[in-house]
Amino acid sequence: MGTDALVRLLSGTTTLAPRLARAGLSVLVAVRLAALAVGARSLWRDETGDLACNSTTSCRLACFDSAFPVSPFTLFLLQAAFVSTHGLACSLLWRPPDCQGKGWLRDRTQQLRLHSLSVLARILLEGIFLMTFHALYARYPQVLHCPASTLCPDTVVCTIQNAQWKDAFDLFVAGTSWASVVVCLTVLYLAVTEIVQLTLWPAKGTQFGLKHAIKAFTAYCSNKLLQVNEDKSKMMVFTVNKIKQKMENFCIQVTRSQQI
């Protein structure tokens, strides 16, 4: 897998996006996946085992299920799976053209529209999971209070071990997701701006092209003039040396004639 394919897979964007944005999205996704891998081996290895409750095991499990309908770690794993699926779809969709140029949108406006839809889908994926996370868990609780029920006649109180570390982990992963949303919004703004320019002012791109062509032609002419001036200066030096040599020869001949 080449570097461009890997960046396309991680960032979910194409070369139409700025390089800095693609690199930033790739780094954010890689850091998020690494954090989830480390968290699965350490903090979130046994969530129910981290509960210290004043009741039986069945009441502890019932209290955990009522407090966490969806675990924050499970929610972030689902988010990473959806984001990775989006990146894989973009990687397959934006394949480089074959030798015959098939399977590739040649019109830049169509490419930008498809690119904008892809970035918008990424924003929606990130945003939906973020809103769900913040709606369910503003902060990770340190103590769970579960009222009495048919299964547990007494009130269940559970203390969560490493709750502060889990809260910091959740905020870190959510922060990487929010940073991805900001980068995607910037990329989407740039893409929509270019689409509007190409749609409403199609001659603007031609004007930019003419400006670049004029600059290139001016630079070419300047180089040619410099070369001509250098050639002229060389010719002048050669002519002066030749005249000088002729004058020296004439002076020598005059001196010899006077001696005779």
Side-chain angles (χ1 to χ4, degrees):
M1 181 182 291
T3 305
D4 184 70
L6 181 61
V7 172
R8 190 166 60 246
L9 177 63
L10 291 177
S11 65
T13 57
T14 64
T15 53
L16 296 175
R19 289 185 179 181
L20 185 61
R22 298 184 70 198
L25 288 173
S26 301
V27 170
L28 288 172
V29 170
V31 169
R32 191 188 314 181
L33 293 177
L36 291 174
V38 173
R41 301 281 297 182
S42 56
L43 288 175
W44 306 93
R45 190 167 187 173
D46 186 9
E47 294 187 60
T48 56
D50 291 338
L51 297 178
C53 304
N54 60 346
S55 61
T56 61
T57 304
S58 59
C59 292
R60 181 182 62 184
L61 294 177
C63 183
F64 179 82
D65 292 337
S66 62
F68 300 102
V70 180
S71 172
F73 187 74
T74 304
L75 193 64
F76 287 131
L77 283 179
L78 288 174
Q79 183 189 33
F82 276 94
V83 170
S84 300
T85 304
H86 172 269
L88 180 61
C90 292
S91 180
L92 296 176
L93 179 63
W94 293 94
R95 291 192 305 268
D98 54 14
C99 58
Q100 297 179 354
K102 295 181 180 180
W104 189 257
L105 295 175
R106 295 187 177 182
D107 187 14
R108 183 168 180 82
T109 304
Q110 294 179 356
Q111 292 181 4
L112 286 171
R113 288 174 180 173
L114 188 59
H115 169 67
S116 301
L117 289 176
S118 174
V119 176
L120 181 61
R122 172 67 179 272
I123 293 173
L124 291 177
L125 284 175
E126 299 277 6
I128 289 172
F129 281 97
L130 281 173
M131 292 299 102
T132 304
F133 167 73
H134 288 295
L136 292 177
Y137 313 106
R139 295 297 298 272
Y140 196 83
Q142 297 184 4
V143 180
L144 300 180
H145 296 274
C146 299
S149 61
T150 56
L151 295 176
C152 303
D154 298 328
T155 302
V156 179
V157 179
C158 296
T159 303
I160 302 177
Q161 300 177 4
N162 299 322
Q164 294 181 350
W165 286 104
K166 290 182 178 181
D167 187 35
F169 178 88
D170 293 342
L171 293 178
F172 174 77
V173 178
T176 59
S177 184
W178 277 115
S180 299
V181 171
V182 172
V183 175
C184 288
L185 286 174
T186 305
V187 174
L188 182 62
Y189 171 76
L190 295 175
V192 171
T193 302
E194 188 171 356
I195 291 173
V196 172
Q197 290 178 354
L198 292 175
T199 304
L200 299 181
W201 301 285
K204 194 169 183 180
T206 306
Q207 292 176 1
F208 286 140
L210 288 175
K211 288 182 179 179
H212 289 297
I214 291 172
K215 288 182 179 179
F217 180 73
T218 305
Y220 174 78
C221 292
S222 300
N223 292 330
K224 284 295 182 182
L225 288 175
L226 289 175
Q227 291 179 1
V228 170
N229 291 331
E230 289 179 358
D231 294 339
K232 285 184 177 180
S233 61
K234 291 180 180 178
M235 288 294 297
M236 290 179 64
V237 171
F238 177 75
T239 304
V240 169
N241 291 333
K242 195 172 183 180
I243 293 173
K244 183 179 179 181
Q245 186 178 4
K246 287 184 178 182
M247 291 296 294
E248 290 178 351
N249 293 335
F250 178 75
C251 291
I252 292 172
Q253 291 178 0
V254 171
T255 303
R256 288 179 180 178
S257 63
Q258 288 179 356
Q259 291 176 355
I260 294 172

